[in-house]
Amino acid sequence: MSSITDLGIAQLRDGVREGTFSATEVATAFNDAVAKAKPLNAFIVETPEHALAAAKAADDARAAGETLKPLAGVPIGMKDLFATKGVQTTAASHILEGFTPPYESTVSQRLWDAGAGMLGKLNLDQFAMGSSNETSYFGNVISPWRRNDGGNAPLAPGGSSGGSSSAVAARIAPGATGTDTGGSIRQPAAFVGISGIKPTYGRCSRWGVVAFASSLDQAGPMARDVRDCAIMLEHMAGFDPKDATSLDLAVPKWEAGLSSDLKGKRIGIPKEYRVAGMPEEIEALWQQGIAWMKDAGAEIVDVSLPHTKYALPAYYIIAPAEASSNLARYDGVRYGQRELPEGANLQDMYAATRAAGFGEEVKRRILIGTYVLSAGFYDAYYTQAQKVRTLIAQDFENAWTVCDLLLTPTAPSAAFTLGEKSADPLAMYLNDVFTVPSSLAGLPAMSVPGGLDKSGLPLGLQIIGKPLDEQGVLNASLAIEERAGFTARPEAWW
Amino acid sequence: MSVDTATVKKVASLARIAISDADAERLAPELNNILGWIEQLGEVDTANVEPTTAVIPNSLRLREDVVTEPDQRAAVLANAPQGEHGFFTVPKVVE
């Protein structure tokens, strides 16, 4: 048998159920892998005892002849944006350093209730603001991948869920939670050759998730394959009365509903998802994806989403505006760090605390958000962006009259090197060009690995679906996965 | 629309973030670059378009007006940088 850490969520779950190995063996194997992988800087806090406690509960239940919980024996990584009771939760910021929530986020609680254990809290871009994991107060996450040119240039694992993507790709966690505001699950999944789905807005509770842009933020799973994502999502999603935007709907049995037969499905190819300077290999992969969809029985339809080019600028008004409001709560009074210069009054304390506690990208976005919401500019920027958002959502609604799902590349490039884009915020923002439109419209969307570029780095394909059609998204992604046969993995250098 | 250093400082003060003159000098061109880019939204004709207020149609629920989690004072104060007598404490605001 291959090593335990080579197994995914479904295999671990089934193996523990069947007694092939114990949950404690699984937890120990992954805890050891995590401990050895420090050079990736994927974890901010490691919690081997949490993983072991969940494993012991699973092993005890099995010994007692009880029915095992659905995720019994499966340890996962938890993005450090989810509040975890008694375990430091920082959103990768200095301002929340040392914050130990006295409560548990709904999503993490649901995963623990399903029997999962926690390997630790995963690094991310500070407050989920970034596409490369270079904005964490706790240092950059390094992708386990390297280019095949013999150079050892450290590569970005994508962002903001870069600790999650790095950990899953490096086989130090079989699955991890992510959150996606403008592509923060899908772009990092694409960069490291794993799968990740952002469900319909409202499927997963945002309660206890550190807020970035509340009308966009949505949690989802990141794992090695589509089935593992379906399994994890089933135990993350669900109605939560504590989140007013939570959808009061039953959670479908996505794993049981998996089928890669796409007969009768119409797949739309949006012509606007071709950007200047996009590598030829990404265009080629997209064409390959179209061929795979046909092979799976689907019909291909050309569609137009005419407002696509306005999605990014609208996003970079709406997300900072909501962030400036959400992050107003960090003022040094109720939790986190406080800076109190000698003789400072209350206003000085707020300003000093926020100046010292937030990183550069967070400050930049708070300032943009404050500016676009300020008197005199509100209508010209914020209201106009919200109107453009309506048009973007209408583009998708129009597309759904002729197709069931959309196929696009996930990102306009493969992973770039750390530092390559960090000096130019705008260049970094442009990396989210294919993931942001579906976020603005609240639609379910998934990235699956499709192949490698000429430097040996993974490239992802994205499937976008109608509201609540996670099953359709998962199934089309499964059709790609089966045909792509993506088995490449990074060689361990850490 | 161009943002000068005085505007950056004003916005920073509205956002309650202390910034130095040097920071303001550095941030002004950065913010101008980003704001200049997002101004392309002005091209879009939105005369008869309603702004999006909810992404997925979903009516907001009201919960019962009852206490659900009593006696959480210790938990609420547990992470306070400074607390006294069961309250958050801040620098004196009234002489």
Side-chain angles (χ1 to χ4, degrees), chain A residues 25-337:
Chain A
E25 286 175 81
V26 174
T28 304
F30 278 101
N31 282 341
D32 291 349
V34 168
K36 267 190 231 148
K38 301 237 189 285
L40 299 172
N41 201 28
F43 284 87
I44 294 175
V45 171
E46 293 169 17
T47 56
E49 67 294 339
H50 190 293
L52 283 171
K56 183 174 186 305
D59 288 337
D60 289 351
R62 192 167 187 281
E66 293 165 21
T67 306
L68 291 190
K69 290 177 179 176
L71 289 176
V74 180
I76 55 159
M78 185 62 62
K79 185 176 183 179
D80 196 29
L81 206 61
F82 293 84
T84 42
K85 190 172 183 174
V87 178
Q88 177 182 262
T89 299
T90 66
S93 72
H94 177 48
I95 207 160
L96 274 176
E97 194 175 8
F99 172 63
T100 307
Y103 55 90
E104 188 79 36
S105 82
T106 298
V107 162
S108 55
Q109 187 63 56
R110 287 181 58 91
L111 287 165
W112 313 148
D113 289 348
M118 176 165 68
L119 296 165
K121 301 298 291 290
L122 290 159
N123 207 344
L124 65 148
D125 274 302
Q126 189 168 146
F127 286 105
M129 296 177 191
S131 305
S132 66
N133 260 261
E134 291 168 284
T135 72
S136 168
Y137 178 72
F138 301 94
N140 301 340
V141 178
I142 317 285
S143 170
W145 288 85
R146 283 177 166 170
R147 291 190 181 129
N148 59 11
D149 59 6
N152 289 331
L155 297 169
S160 67
S161 309
S164 307
S165 66
S166 184
V168 173
R171 307 312 200 248
I172 60 174
T177 55
T179 62
D180 192 311
T181 302
S184 281
I185 286 175
R186 293 162 282 161
Q187 183 256 22
F191 272 20
V192 303
I194 63 166
S195 298
I197 180 168
K198 177 195 92 70
T200 309
Y201 180 80
R203 270 288 191 201
C204 289
S205 170
R206 289 180 298 105
W207 195 83
V209 182
V210 175
F212 163 14
S214 303
S215 77
L216 295 153
D217 298 344
Q218 190 56 209
M222 299 167 73
R224 283 176 216 154
D225 62 24
V226 173
R227 175 173 299 271
D228 286 359
C229 284
I231 293 169
M232 250 185 102
L233 185 59
E234 273 184 45
H235 300 292
M236 294 170 67
F239 175 61
D240 179 9
K242 289 177 180 167
D243 175 358
T245 57
S246 169
L247 296 169
D248 192 357
L249 296 169
V251 178
K253 300 281 177 210
W254 288 306
E255 186 192 9
L258 285 175
S259 160
S260 57
D261 181 358
L262 303 184
K263 267 197 240 17
K265 292 285 179 192
R266 296 160 302 167
I267 310 288
I269 309 299
K271 65 174 184 194
E272 289 81 7
Y273 280 54
R274 275 190 181 85
V275 298
M278 187 166 87
E280 215 173 273
E281 291 157 301
I282 291 180
E283 173 67 33
L285 176 68
W286 198 9
Q287 293 305 321
Q288 177 64 67
I290 291 171
W292 286 332
M293 293 284 95
K294 285 183 189 160
D295 183 58
E299 180 194 339
I300 302 297
V301 196
D302 287 322
V303 298
S304 174
L305 303 169
H307 297 90
T308 298
K309 72 174 272 207
Y310 299 108
L312 263 186
Y315 175 84
Y316 277 99
I317 292 173
I318 294 165
E322 294 184 14
S324 72
S325 166
N326 272 327
L327 271 59
R329 71 190 67 177
Y330 304 105
D331 57 9
V333 176
R334 287 162 297 164
Y335 34 64
Q337 301 291 313

Side-chain angles (χ1 to χ4, degrees), chain A residues 98-102 200-201 215 239-247 307 309-310 312-314 316-317 332-336 338 340 344-347 349-352 354-355 360 363-364 366-368 370-372 377 381 383-391 424-426 429-430 440-442 467, chain B residues 1-3 7-19 23 26-27 30-61 63 68-69 72 74-83 88-93:
Chain A
F99 172 63
T100 307
T200 309
Y201 180 80
S215 77
F239 175 61
D240 179 9
K242 289 177 180 167
D243 175 358
T245 57
S246 169
L247 296 169
H307 297 90
K309 72 174 272 207
Y310 299 108
L312 263 186
Y316 277 99
I317 292 173
V333 176
R334 287 162 297 164
Y335 34 64
R338 166 183 287 193
L340 187 58
N345 65 24
L346 185 62
Q347 296 291 337
M349 184 194 85
Y350 292 155
R354 291 163 62 78
E360 286 307 307
K363 285 190 227 181
R364 192 180 290 128
I366 290 175
L367 292 179
I368 290 169
T370 305
Y371 181 79
V372 300
F377 299 112
Y381 285 112
T383 307
Q384 177 71 359
Q386 289 286 53
K387 287 180 173 179
V388 170
R389 186 176 192 177
T390 303
L391 293 172
D424 182 357
L426 208 48
Y429 298 172
L430 296 174
L440 287 170
Chain B
M1 190 68 226
S2 184
V3 177
T7 310
V8 174
K9 285 164 112 172
K10 176 164 179 280
V11 172
S13 118
L14 290 172
R16 304 282 184 271
I17 297 176
I19 62 166
D23 284 342
R26 182 178 51 77
L27 279 162
E30 268 182 27
L31 297 185
N32 272 323
N33 193 23
I34 296 167
L35 291 167
W37 170 70
I38 62 184
E39 263 165 27
Q40 62 177 297
L41 287 189
E43 298 166 13
V44 187
D45 179 4
T46 54
N48 297 307
V49 179
E50 288 295 315
T52 292
T53 47
V55 193
I56 298 291
N58 186 18
S59 55
L60 292 183
R61 298 170 301 274
R63 69 165 173 85
T68 52
E69 296 183 47
Q72 297 296 318
V76 167
L77 283 164
N79 281 284
Q82 205 186 339
F88 296 111
T89 50
V90 296
K92 197 185 274 186
V93 286

